[in-house]
Amino acid sequence: MATFNVHVTIENKPGISDPEGETILNDLVLKGTHKTVSKIKTAKMLKFTIKEKDKKTVQSKVQEICDELRIYNPMVSKVTIDVFDS
Amino acid sequence: MATFNVHVTIENKPGISDPEGETILNDLVLKGTHKTVSKIKTAKMLKFTIKEKDKKTVQSKVQEICDELRIYNPMVSKVTIDVFDS
Amino acid sequence: MSLESQELAELKSKIGRDPTFTELQIVAAEWSEHCSYKSSKKHLKMLPMKGPLVIHETGYDSGVLDVGDGYVVTAHIESHNHPSAVEPYGGAATGVGGVIRDILSTGTRPIAIFNGLRFGDIEKDQQARWLFKNAVTGIADYGNCLGIPTIGGEVEFDECYQNYALVDVAAIGFGKKENLIKNHAKKDDLVILLGGSTGRDGIGGSQFASDSLESEDRSAVQIPDPFIEKLIIEAILEARNEKLIHAMKDLGGGGLSCAISETADALEIGIEMDVEKVHTRESDMRPDEIMVSESQERMLIITSKAKLKKLQEICKKFRIACSVIGHVTSDNQMHVKKGKKTFANLPTNVVANATLLDLPSKKPLYLETIEEEKKFKAISNYSKTMMKLLASPNIASKIWVYRQYDHEVGIRTVIKPGGDASVLRLDNGKFLSAKIDGNPKQCYINPREGAIGCFEEACRNVVCTGAKPIGMLDHLQFGNPKDPEIFWTFLESLKGLTDFVKYFNIPCVGGKVSLYNETPAGSIKPTPVIGVLGLIDKNPLIPQKITDGDCLVIIGNTKNEMGGSEYFEYINKFIGGKCPSVNFTESKKNMKTVLEIIKNQFLKSAHDCSKGGLAVAVSELCMTNQIGCKISLEKVPGEKLDVDRILFSESHSRYLLVLEKKNLKKLEDMLKKSKVSFKLIGQFRGDKIQFNKGTKSIVDLRVDKAQKTWLNSLKDLILHG
Amino acid sequence: MKVGVVVFPGSNCDRDMYHVLTDVFNFDAQYCWHEKALPKNIDAVILPGGFSYGDRLRAGVIAAHSPIIKDVKKMAKKGIPILGVCNGFQILVESGLLPGILLKNESLNFMCEWTNLIVENNKTPFTNQFKLHEKIPIPIANGEGRYYVDDDTLKQLKKKNQIVFRYSQVINGSSHRIAGVCNQEGNVVGMMPHPERAVESEINPMDNKPSSLIFESLLAKIGVGN
Ligand SMILES: Nc1ncnc2c1ncn2[C@@H]1O[C@H](COP(=O)(O)OP(=O)(O)O)[C@@H](O)[C@H]1O
Ligand SMILES: [Mg+2]
């Protein structure tokens, strides 16, 4: 068994609006001096520490957790799972 | 000028508690069937799309934006900036 | 953390040996200004705290008032200034948490939160805007999650708070008198720590609050966890119902050090505890770190061995940790061990009672000339000036703030934020009214009259709902007390408040002192904040919609007292002039009269005149009712004054009464009889706010335009800079 | 007739709801702790507002995994009236009993204010005393109250008459201004606004009659007393 770090990134599916990202862009960034930013999207990340025998198992376990426990709501969000050695 | 994608990850500094992560771990994940997870930390991510001449400029510009506009509070959080080619 | 050298010497002589490292840390935490009140305590005694309704119990951090029929109301006020100035979200949120636990520790359920917020100039200063916005979110997220309504408060901006923040939070509790915790303990009772885990966050917090803000101490940042606080509230109230709590104290500044020493000292017991039993967040914490950690959301409970199991079951139900960390002894010592090894063993009365200071004071030099006025440019267009005032951050509607606060949860809120005081219904059919007020602009010009003014304003707000003031809370916020000039202003304010308490028989039921409020540019202006609680036996005056033809009557005199007014400071950029002062006899008469009239139930609404003066108070009535009015300035009672002064003077003791024309005679008869100064000054109609002097139009403003500006300007400023 | 008020860790409108059910409408109400089974003889279930599990991860998602939800689902299947208010609505949605999701308000802020609802379906156990399109003055208090469904689901909702309440004007960016929906059978209803805060005239600055009809509808459906 080894310990792995997993980044679970939850973000809006394309087409779903992201008022928070838009607000940061329009009311903060573009009001300042930084005009080269064209888009900001917000996402939520969960960093898991998990013990499993290998990366593949981790990947599938975490995917299972996310689906079963509705870590993300599939109607509006998608989830990306990145596994790293600890 | 090229377009870059930047991931800005904001999370609590080590040693600072993360009640949300704890609740997700204890009240959701560990109550289910997945006992191999030992820790969950939450983070917030902002995905920027930005046009600059190179990666290095992007890195420093985005850092500047985060500091100047107080996108995060250095007292509690740290920020990690990852730049990707678009 | 450290003690000053003479304090160290004193400690040595009191215990007759060198303190251990852990002992030093414990004592440094408890002897900090924040925990020990060493600079202020001697003087605070002057404030009368007794009254027919006040209930005194050992070891309470909150005031208790008997509201009849077997019910009590508890109240307390706190600030979280230093933490909020560096981490506004967490600082403000944990400030709410702290004051709520004070209420809880008496055994009453918290039913309302108030917040007073002060920042630098948000029009110019982006940092101030950031602080403000995040402090509001912090309070909202915390209070909303707890399900305790935040029903009122105040917001003020002044350059003296640049790069700083004053975040004051007051809370009210309610419960049955029989359920009050009567703190007691006997030998071998268990000492239990309940709630969140102890971590390194917040180490040195109380010391931090007692230093000026130069050393941005990172460890003093605290992460709020309102969810666990909510569970603590429910668990404790359940334990209270089961009579499982013998004594209780919340953990605040100074952490376990203060809670243990103060509880033991108050109950005249000793406590022996083992730091290894404390549930910690990190595994490698030293005994001293555990003792001084200010991790939030923790409570200390003393109970008997027989009741432990039941208490543990309740904690388990609410999924909160609960550790037996020690037991009660009879030797009046605070004995801290780790396993078998002793790390501290001190007499509790030594720890809990720092030597009080008697600091020198001296009248500040600036006060000699502050009342002198400057000549101002004449106003050519008063309507424009009015618009500017209505948009000014101090006068603009605070709806952007209180809309973010759940002010209705608990279904008690009869009068909601937006008017003067808010009103809650109580279970015995009575109503509780409350408001907090501060006015540093006036207190700077005259710390004594200014403080009295805040007190009177809070009373006025409460009186406007038909409530008789029954108790006050004071929160005294000043700069470095070691500066004799600052200390003088502190004493002046305190004396003023004391006079008012005595004359009006409104006892002080609780308070807090926050010193060392210094910004990089110097000390803040004296900022006492006063909370007043009022009781209504039957019918609160719920403002009714003002309609065409309704009359406006003013009570009280308008005087040439422009010092600290928004007109001087915001419009003319001038700090100085004569501070409004309260004439006690007049004030009492007016209060009494207004209350009597409200009892007769023919008023449509009552509103006090405060910031922005008559002009703003009348406009507020017009804007919230979307109706115009026509006011004759020459009728306004008081000194003969220029129109700008009649419009904008912030003289105290003034009330605006609105009523139907048919009741005017009745009102005038009553007012004549009680010999107050009053006048019918205008009528509501149309869609314009109009102030005339004789036949001359002074102000002529469309209500809808004014309202739009007034309602939106704060939000626009925050969102769009 | 027994009404269960489900209590989760962090529920905070449970006591308000209980007060209204018992003291105002004379229901026989009972708190039901989320870890215990629902009593067998329950006639209606209400999930009150609050911040279950501190709204962590997403409002309602953790509570949706509570043991009691299994029972709530069984009751739902049996056709027993179930109402979720605010956080209760969020929990019903996250547990799959109702369609859609509640997202952060467009303002990104918590919003506590009075608004008006329009009744769009007066056939549910909680709306049967209303006239269609009747207006209800009522307060909202939420941070994640923006109801969202995709276009296809919205079409379905309309077709199956599952939209129960709409806001009379745009307030938070909800799809189709939706404030409350029901399941296809109509017995499970969720709504963001707080009827329990609006039924007593003392604390209702507008008109408490319309909100009362929500509870009177339930009375009409299940009756009072034994
Ligand atoms: N920070 C705040 N939180 C909640 N309510 C607030 C806040 N600031 C102002 N309010 C509310 O807005 C109204 C006007 O406040 P304020 O101008 O301080 O009143 P007054 O001049 O009568 O003292 C009051 O009802 C008050 O409670
Ligand atoms: Mg007022």
Side-chain angles (χ1 to χ4, degrees), chain C residues 236-256:
Chain C
I236 293 225
L237 292 176
E238 199 165 314
R240 173 204 71 182
N241 291 344
E242 305 276 332
K243 308 256 180 281
L244 303 179
I245 302 171
H246 291 189
M248 174 158 54
K249 173 122 185 134
D250 71 292
L251 277 88
L256 272 172

Side-chain angles (χ1 to χ4, degrees), chain C residues 115 117 151-155 398 401-402 405 417-420 435 437 457 461 608 610:
Chain C
N115 66 118
L117 304 174
I151 60 167
E154 37 146 22
V155 180
K398 305 301 180 289
V401 177
Y402 61 72
Y405 301 153
D420 292 316
K435 179 75 172 79
D437 277 300
E457 187 186 345
N461 279 317
D608 80 307
S610 53

Side-chain angles (χ1 to χ4, degrees), chain C residues 346-620:
Chain C
L346 294 166
T348 58
N349 66 336
V350 170
V351 185
N353 299 289
T355 303
L356 304 184
L357 307 176
D358 201 352
L359 296 172
S361 70
K362 176 175 158 279
K363 183 172 179 178
L365 222 64
Y366 79 86
L367 287 176
E368 303 299 335
T369 51
I370 194 88
E371 293 206 348
E372 285 164 20
E373 272 185 30
K374 210 171 73 177
K375 190 111 186 86
F376 305 113
K377 226 175 85 199
I379 303 267
S380 56
N381 182 340
Y382 276 101
S383 299
K384 245 183 159 163
T385 307
M386 278 293 298
M387 282 300 275
K388 201 171 161 198
L389 269 180
L390 293 177
S392 89
N394 283 337
I395 286 177
S397 163
K398 305 301 180 289
I399 187 166
W400 180 81
V401 177
Y402 61 72
R403 196 179 81 152
Q404 294 185 54
Y405 301 153
D406 189 341
H407 47 257
E408 307 210 65
V409 59
I411 48 175
R412 290 186 184 278
T413 321
V414 173
I415 298 185
K416 309 175 201 288
D420 292 316
S422 303
V423 174
L424 298 170
R425 53 177 180 171
L426 302 177
D427 300 9
N428 58 354
K430 294 182 183 176
F431 299 84
L432 186 77
S433 173
K435 179 75 172 79
I436 59 172
D437 277 300
N439 195 326
K441 294 181 200 301
Q442 291 181 7
C443 292
Y444 176 72
I445 292 174
N446 188 327
R448 186 190 195 106
E449 294 299 342
I452 291 172
C454 300
F455 199 161
E456 214 241 9
E457 187 186 345
C459 288
R460 273 180 348 248
N461 279 317
V462 161
V463 163
C464 284
T465 64
K468 181 177 178 306
I470 56 166
M472 72 84 105
L473 300 166
D474 66 303
H475 189 5
L476 306 174
Q477 302 170 104
F478 292 80
N480 184 346
K482 297 203 169 123
D483 177 337
E485 295 201 336
I486 288 174
F487 202 63
W488 188 89
T489 63
F490 167 80
L491 289 177
E492 278 297 294
S493 292
L494 186 57
K495 286 174 192 161
L497 296 175
T498 304
D499 289 348
F500 197 93
V501 165
K502 286 184 176 158
Y503 189 85
F504 287 83
N505 270 323
I506 304 171
C508 168
V509 296
K512 176 88 202 166
V513 178
S514 164
L515 301 172
Y516 298 96
N517 291 292
E518 302 271 332
T519 76
S523 167
I524 61 160
K525 289 178 178 175
T527 315
V529 167
I530 308 300
V532 167
L533 301 169
L535 198 60
I536 305 165
D537 280 335
K538 267 207 213 89
N539 299 300
L541 173 52
I542 301 175
Q544 292 165 45
K545 184 127 184 99
I546 300 174
T547 48
D548 241 38
D550 286 348
C551 299
L552 181 64
V553 170
I554 187 170
I555 292 184
N557 291 317
T558 300
K559 304 169 197 163
N560 189 9
E561 300 173 317
M562 308 298 289
S565 66
E566 286 300 304
Y567 176 65
F568 267 21
E569 303 220 350
Y570 188 76
I571 301 292
N572 292 304
K573 308 290 172 220
F574 172 70
I575 298 179
K578 184 177 179 315
C579 176
S581 71
V582 175
N583 175 323
F584 282 12
T585 22
E586 201 181 305
S587 165
K588 197 178 216 170
K589 202 163 60 179
N590 293 2
M591 255 185 235
K592 212 174 136 222
T593 306
V594 173
L595 283 178
E596 237 168 66
I597 292 164
I598 290 177
K599 269 208 189 106
N600 279 280
Q601 292 195 313
F602 60 78
L603 286 188
K604 278 195 150 180
S605 67
H607 184 35
D608 80 307
C609 270
S610 53
K611 261 203 176 12
L614 175 66
V616 167
V618 171
S619 305
E620 283 167 350

